[in-house]
Amino acid sequence: MREKHAAIGVLAGTIRKLIESGEIQSDKIDEIRLRIGQPVWLLYDRKGGYLLKNGTFGKERKKAHIVTALELRETMEYVSDYSMYAYENQLKQGYITIQGGHRVGIAGKVVLENGKIKTITEIGMLNIRFARAYIGCSKKVMPYITEQNDIVSTLIISPPGGGKTTLLRDLIRELASEKGGKTVGVVDERSEIAACYLGIPQNDLGVTTDVLDACPKAEGMLMLLRSMAPEVIAVDEIGTKEDLQAICRVANCGCKILATIHGSSMEEMKEKTILKELINKNIFQRFLVLDNRFHVGTIKGIYKEKGLVRI
Amino acid sequence: MLKIIGSVCVLFGCSALGFYFVSQMKKRLQELSFLRKLLFFMEGEIRHGLKSLPEIMIAMKQKCSGEWALFFQIVGRRMLEERNEPLAVIWKNAMLEALQVSSLSREQKKEWEELGNNLGYLDREMQLVLLQISQEHFGDFIEEERERYKKHARLYQTLGVMSGIFLVVILI
């Protein structure tokens, strides 16, 4: 598990001191939400509640610490390294990745220019999601996605918060480890897989991984193919027509693909017109379906043969 | 003999005071021109390099000496390593710590402090506009100081010498 200080460190001094002074253990925090005029909300030890004025976690709203506009501004200063202007592209996407791979979601007034999002101003809400790397979580599924000691193209299907990115990250790390020995190319459009900070991946992605950070997936996959000659290309949250076209081109070049997509079942995937073609072309030889109803990252099913056969 | 030595001392002291005021005016003018150049540099780094403020502060430190090098060092280090205070507070405290010996006037220091209140927490376009406004203000300060220098430099020097002579005559 990664240390959490980088995420706590971006909080306004008053809130940071409260967390550090009380009994709250930073490694049990999953999320911190700040909203001006509202209490500091924590997802702590898988339970939602407030940060109380005495630095403890609780459900009593009256005793909770209320976020001020100044505290939110101070937090944004730390999140952006005192340089909001340098994060305009990330702001357009609604989040900033900070040191340690933690993600800060931002909400406020959206400014449009020619119908497209230009930036977010009057920021009033922040959601700090603590990144975790569960080293070794892919070991159980690895035998199911390999054939004759070689990885096969695999699509991870999961609802939001189901652990698909965590699993993908660990698969990459395993494949690009000294033992795995594969050259892996990662197109990290949302900086979620590698969580690059100043060009350095903050998450362990093995020794033979090349990362294209903040690059659109479709262009990135083809760029990697031409420039880094990867054996495996990994992308997170595919979904657009362009993504699928690029995947077909990559697959035709003999490169294996690891990808994730939002969904809850194999049947749901088959109903999506855009994915039907991909499934019928047999681009992916395995489909891993995850579930988060009981526990994040639970394997609901593994399928092969165009998703018709359950392993 | 003592009277002569005393007179020379008074004359020298008063003249030196006049020359000191002039040198301060000159230093202030140089300091303002230098700060304006730094504002141009900062604008370039943001416009073309999209560099973060801590990086820019460290780069600016390399371009300065004396109290200004110390100022940018304090600001850059606190932003990079400590991250305990908002920029406006870091900026103000660094001014108090490093710029006591600066020859800028109170109004000019206020303008510099105001810049620290707004840096960083704006989008790129607004940031550049802010820097351009600051450049204009510092340009105005330079013009004012230049005018003042033209008008008063010789006056201060002459006044220094003349007041020395006046004192000597009175005392003798």
Side-chain angles (χ1 to χ4, degrees):
Chain A
M1 205 174 282
R2 295 192 72 86
E3 51 108 336
K4 298 294 179 54
H5 298 297
I8 302 281
V10 298
L11 292 167
T14 43
I15 301 172
R16 193 192 315 159
K17 276 173 200 154
L18 272 182
I19 291 180
E20 286 170 349
S21 68
E23 298 155 357
I24 292 173
Q25 293 168 28
S26 59
D27 61 343
K28 286 186 179 172
I29 303 175
D30 285 313
E31 265 183 52
I32 300 176
R33 287 178 188 257
L34 309 181
R35 300 175 178 101
I36 297 173
Q38 297 294 330
V40 179
W41 188 90
L42 301 177
L43 183 58
Y44 181 70
D45 207 9
R46 293 186 192 160
K47 292 180 204 100
Y50 306 119
L51 172 67
L52 305 184
K53 284 172 190 163
N54 60 4
T56 56
F57 172 79
K59 301 252 180 189
E60 293 155 279
R61 197 188 152 98
K62 279 182 185 171
K63 290 182 183 174
H65 174 82
I66 305 295
V67 180
T68 64
L70 275 177
E71 283 174 334
L72 201 103
R73 177 178 166 155
E74 191 183 336
T75 305
M76 270 315 294
E77 283 198 57
Y78 301 149
V79 166
S80 64
D81 276 335
Y82 299 95
S83 318
M84 284 279 279
Y85 57 84
Y87 288 87
E88 271 186 31
N89 283 338
Q90 284 99 318
L91 274 179
K92 278 181 199 169
Q93 300 197 41
Y95 64 86
I96 292 175
T97 304
I98 58 168
Q99 196 169 9
H102 313 291
R103 178 183 276 198
V104 182
I106 295 154
K109 186 181 176 184
V110 175
V111 180
L112 297 177
E113 192 176 66
N114 302 325
K116 287 186 175 175
I117 295 170
K118 190 186 169 205
T119 189
I120 301 177
T121 58
E122 298 171 21
I123 295 166
M125 302 113 204
L126 296 179
N127 175 20
I128 304 168
R129 286 174 65 186
F130 287 57
R132 284 216 178 93
Y134 288 100
I135 306 287
C137 68
S138 67
K139 278 189 178 156
K140 277 185 184 173
V141 297
M142 200 56 99
Y144 298 100
I145 61 167
T146 47
E147 276 179 5
Q148 294 160 353
N149 288 328
D150 200 8
I151 183 100
V152 292
S153 291
T154 303
L155 182 65
I156 302 167
I157 302 156
S158 163
K164 58 188 177 309
T165 308
T166 308
L167 180 61
L168 178 69
R169 193 184 296 126
D170 202 58
L171 280 170
I172 297 165
R173 196 187 53 76
E174 280 287 322
L175 291 170
S177 65
E178 281 178 36
K179 196 179 156 196
K182 295 272 183 204
T183 305
V184 183
V186 177
V187 187
D188 199 3
E189 185 171 356
R190 304 199 303 168
S191 305
E192 216 177 0
I193 307 172
C196 285
Y197 180 77
L198 302 176
I200 303 161
Q202 299 292 301
N203 293 324
D204 181 6
L205 291 185
V207 286
T208 51
T209 303
D210 304 306
V211 182
L212 263 184
D213 186 37
C215 179
K217 286 183 275 284
E219 287 102 315
M221 280 189 265
L222 301 175
M223 270 171 77
L224 271 180
L225 200 62
R226 286 191 291 264
S227 58
M228 306 308 281
E231 293 168 87
V232 180
I233 285 184
V235 285
D236 199 15
E237 292 181 18
I238 58 167
T240 65
K241 199 177 166 189
E242 290 76 27
D243 292 345
L244 305 182
Q245 283 169 345
I247 284 174
C248 288
R249 287 182 67 180
V250 169
N252 286 337
C253 295
C255 194
K256 301 291 190 298
I257 300 153
L258 288 177
T260 71
I261 191 165
H262 278 148
S264 55
S265 66
M266 199 61 228
E267 290 69 37
E268 187 190 329
M269 290 297 111
K270 285 176 189 168
E271 280 169 18
K272 288 185 180 174
T273 330
I274 207 161
L275 280 169
K276 255 186 204 169
E277 195 186 329
L278 209 65
I279 295 170
N280 290 334
K281 280 185 178 172
N282 208 20
I283 301 285
F284 290 105
Q285 283 85 52
R286 294 290 185 276
F287 299 88
L288 284 177
V289 185
L290 304 184
D291 194 5
N292 61 355
R293 271 180 299 173
F294 304 109
H295 190 269
V296 175
T298 308
I299 307 285
K300 194 175 165 187
I302 302 173
Y303 300 84
K304 63 177 185 178
E305 311 276 327
K306 297 180 184 176
L308 298 170
V309 181
R310 187 172 177 150
I311 302 174
Chain B
M1 187 63 184
L2 269 175
K3 275 186 180 176
I4 294 168
I5 294 169
S7 305
V8 169
C9 285
V10 168
L11 191 63
F12 184 77
C14 289
S15 306
L17 205 62
F19 279 95
Y20 170 75
F21 281 128
V22 174
S23 74
Q24 279 297 99
M25 283 169 75
K26 206 172 182 181
K27 195 187 164 207
R28 188 179 301 149
L29 197 53
Q30 285 168 345
E31 223 172 307
L32 286 168
S33 306
F34 178 68
L35 286 180
R36 195 161 170 238
K37 276 182 195 163
L38 284 182
L39 289 171
F40 280 116
F41 173 76
M42 208 188 281
E43 188 194 337
E45 291 291 89
I46 292 173
R47 187 186 294 278
H48 305 295
L50 216 61
K51 287 194 178 161
S52 69
L53 271 185
E55 282 179 286
I56 295 173
M57 292 301 136
I58 299 296
M60 297 222 283
K61 184 218 150 197
Q62 311 291 339
K63 292 183 172 289
C64 310
S65 59
E67 68 266 25
W68 284 100
L70 180 62
F71 171 79
F72 289 117
Q73 187 189 356
I74 294 172
V75 175
R77 185 171 45 78
R78 288 189 185 162
M79 282 202 284
L80 270 177
E81 295 166 15
E82 296 175 17
R83 292 213 299 191
N84 274 330
E85 291 162 325
L87 178 59
V89 178
I90 294 177
W91 193 271
K92 197 175 175 181
N93 288 342
M95 281 183 76
L96 288 172
E97 286 173 46
L99 300 184
Q100 295 287 357
V101 288
S102 162
S103 48
L104 295 186
S105 68
R106 190 176 289 177
E107 190 193 355
Q108 290 154 359
K109 280 187 181 170
K110 192 82 195 150
E111 179 67 31
W112 188 252
E113 191 185 318
E114 196 56 40
L115 177 70
N117 287 339
N118 294 310
L119 269 180
Y121 198 71
L122 292 168
D123 62 36
R124 186 164 160 263
E125 213 171 289
M126 289 298 291
Q127 195 72 81
L128 293 173
V129 169
L130 171 80
L131 285 171
Q132 280 157 5
I133 291 170
S134 283
Q135 285 159 13
E136 278 173 28
H137 284 176
F138 275 84
D140 292 344
F141 286 142
I142 291 167
E143 280 306 307
E144 283 169 17
E145 286 298 326
R146 237 179 232 148
E147 283 297 310
R148 193 172 296 149
Y149 186 82
K150 269 185 204 167
K151 272 187 191 169
H152 298 135
R154 187 151 299 168
L155 180 72
Y156 284 164
Q157 285 169 348
T158 318
L159 263 179
V161 178
M162 293 303 284
S163 58
I165 294 169
F166 179 71
L167 275 175
V168 167
V169 170
I170 286 182
L171 289 171
I172 288 173

